[in-house]
Amino acid sequence: MSIRENIEAIRAEIDEAARETGRTMETSIMGYYNEPMYLDLKDYSGNVRDGKWSMGAYAFGAVTPKQQDGANMYGRLLQDGFDYDNAENWVVTNGNWKIENGLLNMTNKDTGRSMIRYAGGLNWIDYVFEADVQVTDSSDKERDSGILFRGDSELKNVYAFRFNRNDKIELCKWTDGSFSSIKMWDYETIPGEFYKMKVSADGDELSLYINGELIEKVTDASFPRGTVGLYAYYAQIGIDNVLVTSN
């Protein structure tokens, strides 16, 4: 899909969303076919958003051929604060996930492995993925939560960076559905608190962060590309402020 075709498709989605919500919204495309394209929007209040409008899981701006497929002028591939009660951009592979009160919630703590992924991004290669992830009490069961990256459509091949039981954090993976741990670290957490988890995937180098602190850079070449997702295991948790940017 060309840059202009991509923006035209986004524009059509915005127009449809405006009709469904009864809002008045104007859209216009600026630029030429061989130059960066801007999608300018004006919402019902008359505020010009000038290529920096976000609705649901989308973030809009200028797109150039040099950027990774889907990235806007700010390098954003995906941004979702779950401010809209609409999960159409997410695909549940297992578990009970629901958007409410500005969070993506895993609502059943008695469910085992629960995963949800972004609907696109299967061909993303190098990127930075971060999200605010809630941890829960692990005193009675293995209650894990975390982020998934470089996953396939069924999340049978995917990395996970997760809070593990007994104040541990872990980098692990599923290969054809078979689990293996890559590395684990001690990390004390407070039940109910949110922690900003971040991974920078650059080739086979995976840099892992919690609340801006680098945990470690790990080398693993199992999965060169794939989408992002969220993870819970016997945990009722909340997720917020998902952001994916080009690396």
Side-chain angles (χ1 to χ4, degrees), residues 5-210:
E5 287 172 337
N6 186 42
I7 293 182
E8 287 280 14
I10 292 172
R11 182 184 184 185
E13 292 182 14
I14 295 171
D15 290 340
E16 178 62 25
R19 285 192 294 272
E20 291 178 356
T21 58
R23 292 183 175 184
T24 300
M25 189 177 296
E26 300 175 8
T27 61
S28 60
I29 293 177
M30 300 179 64
Y32 299 97
Y33 285 94
N34 60 344
E35 294 180 357
M37 305 294 297
Y38 289 83
L39 179 62
D40 290 353
L41 301 98
K42 184 179 292 185
D43 69 9
Y44 62 95
S45 63
N47 298 318
V48 177
R49 302 302 173 117
D50 193 22
K52 199 177 178 181
W53 176 272
S54 64
M55 175 181 291
Y58 293 105
F60 304 102
V63 181
T64 69
K66 294 182 180 180
Q67 295 169 332
Q68 192 161 191
D69 182 31
N72 67 7
M73 68 182 297
Y74 307 98
R76 287 197 286 266
L77 292 160
L78 168 65
Q79 185 172 15
D80 200 340
F82 305 109
D83 296 321
Y84 299 86
D85 188 15
N86 187 343
E88 67 179 12
N89 299 304
W90 296 89
V91 178
V92 175
T93 59
N94 39 40
N96 300 310
W97 298 87
K98 183 179 180 181
I99 296 176
E100 57 183 2
N101 301 320
L103 296 173
L104 174 62
N105 297 285
M106 171 55 199
T107 60
N108 187 352
K109 66 180 180 180
D110 295 320
T111 302
R113 186 175 66 187
S114 303
M115 294 179 171
I116 186 172
R117 69 168 177 87
Y118 177 53
L122 293 172
N123 291 317
W124 290 348
I125 300 173
D126 296 331
Y127 53 82
V128 178
F129 173 33
E130 62 184 64
D132 295 341
V133 179
Q134 190 177 33
V135 298
T136 58
D137 185 5
S138 61
S139 60
D140 58 339
K141 279 190 178 182
E142 303 171 353
R143 303 198 185 281
D144 305 339
S145 56
I147 60 177
L148 306 170
F149 62 101
R150 284 188 174 168
D152 62 12
S153 61
E154 297 181 346
L155 298 180
K156 290 185 176 180
N157 295 280
V158 63
Y159 290 111
F161 180 36
R162 66 180 186 176
F163 290 106
N164 209 327
R165 48 202 170 277
N166 302 321
D167 286 329
K168 303 283 187 180
I169 51 176
E170 181 181 26
L171 176 65
C172 55
K173 62 185 176 182
W174 284 266
T175 305
D176 293 329
S178 178
F179 173 83
S180 60
S181 179
I182 298 174
K183 193 161 187 179
M184 192 178 294
W185 304 262
D186 292 327
Y187 196 93
E188 186 174 352
T189 58
I190 301 173
E193 291 293 314
F194 284 82
Y195 294 82
K196 186 171 290 295
M197 306 191 77
K198 183 172 80 170
V199 59
S200 173
D202 187 3
D204 60 3
E205 184 176 86
L206 311 176
S207 302
L208 309 169
Y209 300 81
I210 302 287

